[in-house]
Amino acid sequence: MSTPAPAPAAKDPSAPGPATTEPAPFDPHAFPADLRAAQRTAAELYAALHAHQATLPWSREPDPGWPDETERGRERPGRPASPGWTDEEAAEFDRLMEELRGATAAVQTHPWWKRCKAEGIEGPALVQARQALKHAKGAVPLAREDVDAAA
């Protein structure tokens, strides 16, 4: 007959023991620095394009415009004549637009999103992570607190 094995001693929670090597859970909002930088570049380019567009005539090509019209109770606002854009204005618009396309492609195709999917982040959670990037520290050109501090 064999002797029963002694019961394991209760572990003292205050006693030092082997460190657990369990990795921290994956955080889809822990964006890598290069992704935050790419998002910041895209936001800056969008702002520059928007500011440039505000200075341009409404039509890229010269256009005589049209008057306000009211037909059967429906109003159709007119447009003044447009001289069109100069070659320099058009070139700047095209440059900014092309750079913005490249910057947004860098954000959208970044390997981080593939890793998120590999970690099981999909559907609404992935959309939420992509939206959170737009507000992440270092991903926005000017934070609200910076504006308030400057005012």
Side-chain angles (χ1 to χ4, degrees), residues 10-12 29 34 37 51 60 70 74 76 78 89-91 102 107 120 125 129 132 135 139-140 143 150:
K11 185 174 179 181
D12 179 10
H29 296 161
D34 63 330
R60 187 172 180 135
T70 302
R74 290 186 294 182
R76 182 176 149 205
E89 289 170 334
V107 171
H135 305 284
V140 290

Side-chain angles (χ1 to χ4, degrees), residues 22-37:
E22 189 174 308
F26 179 74
D27 181 8
H29 296 161
F31 306 110
D34 63 330
L35 178 57
R36 288 192 314 268

Side-chain angles (χ1 to χ4, degrees), residues 2 26 34 62 67 75 80 85 92 101 113-114 122 126 131 150:
S2 66
F26 179 74
D34 63 330
E75 294 182 13
W85 299 356
E92 178 65 3
R101 281 187 194 112
W113 307 121
K114 189 178 242 183
E122 294 179 309
L126 185 59
Q131 292 298 318

